[in-house]
Amino acid sequence: LLRSAPCSIGILVDRGFGSVERISRSSICNLAIIFIGGKDDREALAFAGRVARHPGVKLTVIRFLVDKNSENAPRRVNHRATVAEQEEEMRLDDECFAEFYERYVAGGKVAYMEKHLANSSETYTNLRSLGGQYSLIIVGRGGRVNTVLTVGLNDWQQCPELGPVGDVLSGSTFSCDTSILIIQQHSIKGQLDGLSDEFSIM
């Protein structure tokens, strides 16, 4: 399904979120999205923007950034992508996030949190710390060119179809109260990327 789906898809690891019949203004639902970068994360961010429009949702966007000044940061990471491809992906990430920030965060509709991390070990620790804080966490499945913050997480995956971040959050040792939505972007040459033209940012 992940290889042949004719559209962007989401995998829901339901830990009770599906039992919520209705979200209203009087019962606020705390959601979060983790943004590291890459096409799937951009798709997840576009989807989260639509979710943020609901008056009963309190959304927090958590951006993981590479702390280049940290002593624990790896000096070199092997990348399959060329330098030009990495720079292009970083440009798309920054443009996508800047538009989301201007539209939702600057106006107070969405809360913003920034994490400066050195490596995948710190990524893992920070992901684990989110357990129980949100009813639902939205993440991209993969598609990241710069893998400094996720390299090595694949070695411990129990469910590769969920991607490295989704797998950590969906593990049996993570919070039993937090559901996870993993999104994979579908891209067709000549068409706009996104779940639909209505809310795709990039």
Side-chain angles (χ1 to χ4, degrees), residues 19-24 27:
S19 64
V20 178
E21 296 182 359
R22 182 181 179 185
I23 300 175
S24 63
S27 58

Side-chain angles (χ1 to χ4, degrees), residues 132-145:
Q133 296 186 41
Y134 305 97
S135 299
L136 176 72
I137 297 178
I138 304 169
V139 300
R141 178 175 178 266
R144 302 177 183 92
V145 173

